[in-house]
Amino acid sequence: MIVVLHPNASEEKVKELHTWLESYNVKIAPINGVHKSVFGLIGDTSKIDINAIRAYDIVDTVTRVQEPYKNANRKMHPEDTVIDVNGIKIGGGNFAVIAGPCSVESEHQIIEVAQRVKAAGANFLRGGAFKPRTSPYTFQGLRAEGIELLLEAKKVTGLPIVTEIMSLSHLDLFADVDVIQVGARNMQNFELLKELGHCKKPILLKRGLANTIEELLMSAEYITAGGNTNIILCERGIRTFEPTTRNTLDISAVPILKKLSHFPVIVDPSHASGITWLVEPLSKSAIAAGCDGLIIEVHDNPKAALSDGAQSLNPDEFDGVMSSLKKYIQAENKVM
Ligand code: PEP
Ligand code: MN
């Protein structure tokens, strides 16, 4: 519920209304980016009589927010949220590219890839340490050692690191990770989301394989409910009947998420397509659709990759893709 007050409302009357609303056990948040005095009410507002609020003479308008996501809703936060990782920004006109291998495989591999993606213009290094694999018999990631190697690559290149968490029991290992990724398979791991709500780190939340846009926003809402509003949403393709690509990139999710929510939206053309040559055209369409960044898999030797080689660009291919994307990013008036 959004309560807009008359601009000349006295402090005393505002306080009185605030106290009365609080008696309904709702959280009252100021609405950012709005100059007027506005209260955003979060929680169960169903018991509050809207006419009783209107009866306060300091109240201008009252509107119910119909959507089940409140903190994640652009109505509650009209301005774009900008995620700032040591000065590198995503959202609000800032574009970022996250690049790196699907899995961290060795010190040589991750440092080589980190140096090459940095030289090509990437802002973040990605790399899976804990890997969600369909088969228990395939490479499961280097786990804690993988995170150590990412930190090593960060030391060498200065690139902040992004890596996926799969279990709450590993949270301590993520203390020095810059952005924690929640992968598609864990998008609705609500206990994980609740706990990540209590940390301050940016969370890269990927859309589930078979989840709706609203479900993605409700998962973001879980994180915000604990107090963490540093969220980057990621469209990474969904399951459809089309077998040519690994998933189907839901390009319309980009403008829809940007309209419904204030969080930055990035696109993963690698997992969306599963095919290297599709990474460039999907990236271009994602930029044109208004995304705030991309996450792209890059491997020093894709043919020998322990996971997702078929969708991983080699460093030379990544150079080519980055140079061809630059004018698209500029055309959208985004800065990198
Ligand atoms: C990944 O980014 O390596 C990954 C496993 O992605 P997703 O969760 O989107 O499948
Ligand atoms: Mn992958």
Side-chain angles (χ1 to χ4, degrees):
M1 194 179 270
I2 296 174
V3 181
V4 180
L5 309 180
H6 290 303
N8 54 356
S10 74
E11 222 173 277
E12 194 191 337
K13 290 208 165 172
V14 173
K15 204 158 173 251
E16 187 190 326
L17 174 62
H18 199 279
T19 310
W20 178 72
L21 289 169
E22 269 181 339
S23 69
Y24 285 92
N25 274 331
V26 291
K27 212 179 124 220
I28 305 173
I31 307 247
N32 301 333
V34 177
H35 299 301
K36 289 179 267 181
S37 300
V38 185
F39 289 163
L41 272 49
I42 295 155
D44 181 10
T45 56
S46 61
K47 308 249 173 353
I48 310 179
D49 177 0
I50 200 161
N51 288 319
I53 305 179
R54 289 190 179 119
Y56 280 78
D57 60 6
I58 56 164
V59 170
D60 185 7
T61 58
V62 189
T63 344
R64 280 202 189 276
V65 174
Q66 301 297 349
E67 297 82 10
Y69 48 90
K70 312 291 179 189
N71 289 316
N73 201 314
R74 197 178 270 281
K75 287 178 189 161
M76 292 292 218
H77 189 292
E79 278 182 358
D80 284 347
T81 283
V82 179
I83 305 297
D84 187 330
V85 183
N86 310 327
I88 301 168
K89 297 187 173 118
I90 312 182
N94 302 284
F95 196 92
V97 174
I98 303 168
C102 178
S103 300
V104 180
E105 298 173 7
S106 68
E107 183 173 359
H108 172 266
Q109 175 239 21
I110 195 66
I111 290 176
E112 165 77 11
V113 175
Q115 286 171 328
R116 292 293 308 266
V117 298
K118 184 181 179 180
N123 316 90
F124 290 85
L125 174 67
R126 64 148 288 150
F130 292 93
K131 291 305 303 175
R133 305 302 304 279
T134 303
S135 165
Y137 308 121
T138 53
F139 180 59
Q140 301 289 302
L142 294 180
R143 302 169 71 82
E145 189 195 344
I147 295 185
E148 288 303 317
L149 295 179
L150 280 166
L151 291 169
E152 198 53 44
K154 176 181 173 173
K155 221 184 274 167
V156 174
T157 59
L159 286 179
I161 55 171
V162 180
T163 194
E164 177 170 353
I165 191 163
M166 284 174 45
S167 164
L168 267 183
S169 63
H170 303 146
L171 192 54
D172 289 348
L173 296 170
F174 286 70
D176 298 322
V177 167
D178 297 288
V179 177
I180 301 181
Q181 175 174 323
V182 174
R185 289 151 193 86
N186 273 304
M187 188 204 88
Q188 285 190 316
N189 181 340
F190 299 118
E191 288 301 316
L192 183 60
L193 300 176
K194 279 187 219 169
E195 198 55 40
L196 294 175
H198 298 305
C199 77
K200 296 258 178 300
K201 285 187 193 291
I203 308 298
L204 169 54
L205 179 63
K206 296 185 103 180
R207 181 177 180 182
L209 279 72
N211 285 111
T212 63
I213 288 171
E214 184 166 294
E215 285 165 345
L216 172 60
L217 292 173
M218 288 310 290
S219 291
E221 190 75 13
Y222 260 95
I223 299 170
T224 67
N228 186 357
T229 53
N230 277 320
I231 299 170
I232 303 160
L233 302 170
C234 179
E235 163 57 39
R236 45 77 73 208
I238 49 173
R239 279 270 165 92
T240 68
F241 51 80
E242 177 52 61
T244 315
T245 47
R246 182 175 180 184
N247 292 287
T248 298
L249 178 61
D250 180 7
I251 199 73
S252 51
V254 177
I256 294 172
L257 286 167
K258 298 279 301 172
K259 185 178 163 66
L260 298 179
S261 170
H262 49 90
F263 293 125
V265 177
I266 69 166
V267 167
D268 177 343
S270 308
H271 290 89
S273 64
I275 304 168
T276 48
W277 67 267
L278 276 171
V279 169
E280 182 173 331
L282 293 193
S283 298
K284 289 176 178 169
S285 56
I287 296 165
C291 74
D292 301 291
L294 295 163
I295 177 166
I296 297 177
E297 286 188 343
V298 181
H299 193 285
D300 57 329
N301 181 9
K303 283 193 186 69
L306 297 181
S307 62
D308 287 352
Q311 68 194 33
S312 299
L313 303 177
N314 67 37
D316 291 341
E317 289 166 335
F318 183 66
D319 280 345
V321 170
M322 285 298 279
S323 2
S324 82
L325 295 185
K326 282 193 179 125
K327 58 179 180 294
Y328 288 76
I329 297 165
Q330 279 162 9
E332 289 297 316
N333 291 320
K334 301 251 161 79
V335 290
M336 242 189 107

